[in-house]
Amino acid sequence: MTVHEAHTRVLVEGPRPDVRVPVTRVALTNGETFDRYCTEGPGSAPEAGLPRLRAAWIEERADTEPYDGRDTDLLDNGRAAVRRGAAREEWPGAQARPRRAVGSRRVTQLHYARAGIVTPEMEYVAVREGCDVELVRSEVAAGRAIIPANVNHPESEPMIIGRRFLVKVNANIGNSAVTSSIAEEVDKLTWAVTWGADTVMDLSTGDDIHTTREWILRNSPVPIGTVPIYQALEKVDGQADRLTWQVFRDTVIEQCEQGVDYMTIHAGVLLRHVPLTADRVTGIVSRGGSIMAGWCLAHHEENFLHTHFDELCEIFARYDVAFSLGDGLRPGSVADANDAAQLAELRTLAELTTRAWEHDVQVMVEGPGHVPLNLVEENVVLQQDWCHGAPFYTLGPLATDIAPGYDHITSAIGAATIAMHGTAMLCYVTPKEHLGLPNRDDVRTGVVTYKLAAHAADVAKGHPGARAWDDALSRARFEFRWRDQFALALDPQTAESFHDETLPAESAKTAHFCSMCGPKFCSMRISQDVRDRFGSGVDAEAGMRQKAAEFLELGGSVYVER
Amino acid sequence: MTVHEAHTRVLVEGPRPDVRVPVTRVALTNGETFDRYCTEGPGSAPEAGLPRLRAAWIEERADTEPYDGRDTDLLDNGRAAVRRGAAREEWPGAQARPRRAVGSRRVTQLHYARAGIVTPEMEYVAVREGCDVELVRSEVAAGRAIIPANVNHPESEPMIIGRRFLVKVNANIGNSAVTSSIAEEVDKLTWAVTWGADTVMDLSTGDDIHTTREWILRNSPVPIGTVPIYQALEKVDGQADRLTWQVFRDTVIEQCEQGVDYMTIHAGVLLRHVPLTADRVTGIVSRGGSIMAGWCLAHHEENFLHTHFDELCEIFARYDVAFSLGDGLRPGSVADANDAAQLAELRTLAELTTRAWEHDVQVMVEGPGHVPLNLVEENVVLQQDWCHGAPFYTLGPLATDIAPGYDHITSAIGAATIAMHGTAMLCYVTPKEHLGLPNRDDVRTGVVTYKLAAHAADVAKGHPGARAWDDALSRARFEFRWRDQFALALDPQTAESFHDETLPAESAKTAHFCSMCGPKFCSMRISQDVRDRFGSGVDAEAGMRQKAAEFLELGGSVYVER
């Protein structure tokens, strides 16, 4: 079973009948229910795709129109497809014509928010976050939050990324030249969302990139991000010096038409920044960053992503694609954290943020990486200051480099800390980081680890309602409602299976102890017995003395017999 | 294989020939070596026990003497032994007579340090920590650090717990009434130390407590801690109200004679504190705390551990047992963090710290538990202030309650943070926390997770030399020295096996990529190529332009062909 039987998916109706927001309703054994944020409405058969939830909302705005999109090219799926002379395993569902803005209209959530328009996407988000819709609109209008929502990805269920809202988690999937298949990637998508990924990035760099992405988009209820330079590089045979603005622009439009919601653009890697990395312990560790650095050096020209940035903004504004301004010069080791190269790039990203906002394009800014714990806060403070509060989206950061195989943990430490200080979205790290491509289990471990880090930050920030989840679970724990403890757990199956390793009997699910301490040493049990006998709020000396006498008369034991 | 083949155990000689401190020497493929702190010298056969490393040091001080110890009692091993009429599986090695101070001499490291005496234990610690021995002596003298070293545990290799030194990790083992055996517990001890546990607590609460502890002590190269109230409770049939100072005192002496190095004493749970817990979400969650609270309420008398505290100090001073002042009222949920009950107890622990110091007894103070990340720092600040800098020893804390099954991670987040702010030792939490007794794999996961959290704190604190490990590993990573990356990893086997899941071929160990990105997208490789071609420290425009021309002439590709 993929979801505990106490869970049901409920659609909460918003201010208009077609705004119906999914929550996971947990039925507790004491008759109460607890609603958990969930990232996925009713699912789909992969071959048919998800319902086009937002299609009517997009159409009713009447500022976009369908058009004959770019012709797909065999090379969109890599050189293997060219050699074969055909794509393979194409998505069999009904293809919609792509849409884009009418003329030079700007069709972004930022544009609407600035104009004082409350979109259904904003209504949806407000229900989801349990906040006033005006908070959503005003934060989007100020650039302090984004709602990634490409008009060509109507399947996506709106979500918001911003420091005033719940901290979000992104999961990376995607194949590489060495491993994986389309079916595996679609399975990883579904799996990641099942465990709570708020967005998914398809970072494929191998074959079948276009087709893999089509399957993913048509089946994704969460926004999809990409790094288009990866596909562009495939189109020029992996030779960075052959990359051109034209190839890149064509790839971006291809992805805009498919429905990618946000794209990582490494426009902050400037020619003059590259030498700043020469004496680093780990040089440039961003794939996109190293590709663009290689291009800049090969041509001794400025990064074409930077010189053509306004054109990119114009394209993004026509589809409502959000920028994720890539930190191509992020540190790859704690030794390189917060160094001149990283901060020089951040200054450039701040300038680009302002330029994108001039085009009404939504922006988030990417952050590191590997940062010792004492330098983590500075990263958020500088980014929020320099980038005027644009949402920060960080990869970890890893608090130490010494634990390959455990980097979901080394990075969750940094992630919880940086989110507490204001990072809006965390990019997960799996146990395979630095070692290989994550498999299905790694995706689950990475997502669950990051959900707990994000929630720890929500609690630390005092986010309204965040602690209610902790309290509900702790009450279940204290009252020995084992089934409720499992059902409320971030990962019910793991919690239950760990419990059952030592006490598999059905009766143990109602026992007032577990194998950790056994019945006689269970402090929860003893403490409950004490409370039951002495009541809550006891403080009178006399009352306690009398209770003590009663307690001894009753046998004086707070333990069960073995 | 339990240790990667690149590892050898080397003994580093100190200022006297019998001070020989183990380090793990990692041989790197580039001819360099890297020495890692390790917690265990040459091992032992469990039946024979470890060499009595410190015996000569203890004897040469001539302030202790062997004596006829307390007679063991069948009840020391629980009611099952009484029913059987015999202990079972007793440790077969050579039994030494117990030692204690001559007369009322104080034989503690604190006493020596205050007297200006540098003991071999301090010399050993200084070599281990790579610091001046005067730092060791002065920190111990000030009470800001402890060297747990019972005269009856001469097998232990001295280590220090204090904020000026490397952050340490404790692993809890021990059976419960429901599960485990003596052999399993000895195996968990060895396993925990193999992975880097700095101390081990035997928290057994089931049968064979005395015998289990004997096996553990005779085979432990690290200090052993216990919570003697657990065994005392077993001796009175699990009935808290039948506990007496006499039973407890006898149990403490039994454990002093066996060689326990530090004992958790819940002397801060006062009668007047108990009502403060009545309205908590999770009441009292410490086993010792709930036992003593139950006793106080049953008798309506003050906690006998508190009323007899000076007698305890006199006993501890004769064996050099250190206090670990237990936080019996620690919060068991984020809702209860930093509340009146917790802080009232901490005030009492501060008073007890001063009283113990008057007897020259070493002290550390235990801390929580479950604490939201924004309240973590306050815990250390108050403890360090109120307790005059006595070492803080915390259990996690868990930064959220929602993730049973992942509490090694929720707590590692809190642990790294609290250690960065000055906690000296972290008590590990395993994935089984709240769910069951940890097995061998859980012990490993818990120790490795806490070692990385402790190291992240060392790096964040700028501890001299801490970052050298990160840098060595990052350099290996950047230079594609895969074997070195594995050998330097906190857990070499896991790192190597994760890598080999997708690229098992021997040749992949020298490849300039892994399956995460494949050869063409490996940023490390691209960045290295850039560095190789352009050199380090390049900053002249002209030089770069010339290099750019050369680069294109050479083919302009920084990628290998597939």
Side-chain angles (χ1 to χ4, degrees), chain A residues 79 176-178 205 230 233-234 238-241 271 275 278-287 290-291 297-298 300 333-335 370 372-374 399-406 408-410 412-413 416 420 431-437 439 448-449 452 455-456 459-460 467 469-471 473-475 477-478 482 485-486 489-491 494-495 498-499 501 503 514-521 523-524 526-527 530-531 534 536-538 541 544-545 548 551-552 556-557 559 562, chain B residues 79 176-178 205 207 230 233-234 238-241 271 275 278-287 290-291 297-298 300 333-335 370 372-374 399-406 409-410 412-413 416 420 431-437 439 448-449 452 455-456 459-460 467 469-471 473-475 477-478 482 485-486 489-491 494-495 498-499 501 503 514-521 523-524 526-527 530-531 534-538 541 544-545 548 551-552 556-557 559 562:
Chain A
R79 282 169 294 157
S176 80
V178 180
T205 56
Y230 298 169
L233 190 66
E234 288 286 332
Q239 296 181 279
D241 63 293
L271 183 59
D279 290 327
R280 281 179 155 186
V281 168
T282 46
I284 301 176
V285 297
S286 151
R287 295 190 285 196
S290 60
I291 292 164
L297 293 177
H300 196 67
S333 54
V334 292
H370 293 239
L373 217 42
N374 59 313
T400 171
D401 308 338
I402 62 163
Y406 297 80
H408 58 310
I409 304 177
T410 62
I413 292 170
M420 171 174 77
K432 290 282 167 60
E433 184 73 18
H434 298 118
L435 299 169
L437 204 66
N439 63 24
V448 174
T449 299
L452 70 84
H455 182 76
V459 170
R467 222 195 61 198
W469 188 358
D470 299 74
D471 294 353
L473 192 140
S474 289
R475 271 193 295 270
R477 180 175 286 157
F478 191 64
W482 286 100
Q485 190 184 159
F486 304 149
L490 194 51
D491 179 347
T494 297
F498 281 6
H499 174 270
E501 265 183 41
L503 291 175
C514 71
S515 74
M516 195 167 178
C517 307
K520 289 169 49 187
F521 281 87
S523 62
M524 292 275 195
I526 299 171
S527 180
V530 168
R531 183 190 287 186
F534 296 92
S536 163
V538 174
E541 273 284 300
M544 281 177 68
R545 192 164 300 119
F551 182 59
L552 284 174
S557 171
Y559 310 99
R562 263 187 282 180
Chain B
R79 281 169 294 156
S176 79
V178 180
T205 55
D207 285 330
Y230 297 170
L233 190 66
E234 289 286 334
Q239 297 180 277
D241 62 294
L271 183 59
D279 290 327
R280 280 179 155 187
V281 168
T282 45
I284 301 176
V285 297
S286 152
R287 295 191 284 196
S290 58
I291 292 164
L297 292 177
H300 197 67
S333 55
V334 292
H370 292 240
L373 217 42
N374 58 313
T400 171
D401 307 337
I402 63 164
Y406 296 81
I409 304 178
T410 63
I413 292 169
M420 172 175 76
K432 290 283 167 57
E433 185 73 18
H434 300 117
L435 299 169
L437 203 68
N439 62 24
V448 173
T449 300
L452 70 84
H455 182 75
V459 170
R467 222 194 63 198
W469 188 358
D470 299 76
D471 294 354
L473 191 141
S474 289
R475 272 192 294 271
R477 180 175 285 157
F478 191 65
W482 287 100
Q485 191 184 157
F486 304 148
L490 195 49
D491 178 348
T494 297
F498 281 6
H499 174 270
E501 265 183 41
L503 291 175
C514 70
S515 73
M516 195 167 179
C517 307
K520 287 167 54 187
F521 281 86
S523 62
M524 293 275 194
I526 299 169
S527 180
V530 168
R531 183 190 284 187
F534 296 92
S536 164
V538 175
E541 273 285 300
M544 283 177 65
R545 192 164 298 119
F551 182 59
L552 286 174
S557 172
Y559 311 98
R562 263 187 277 181

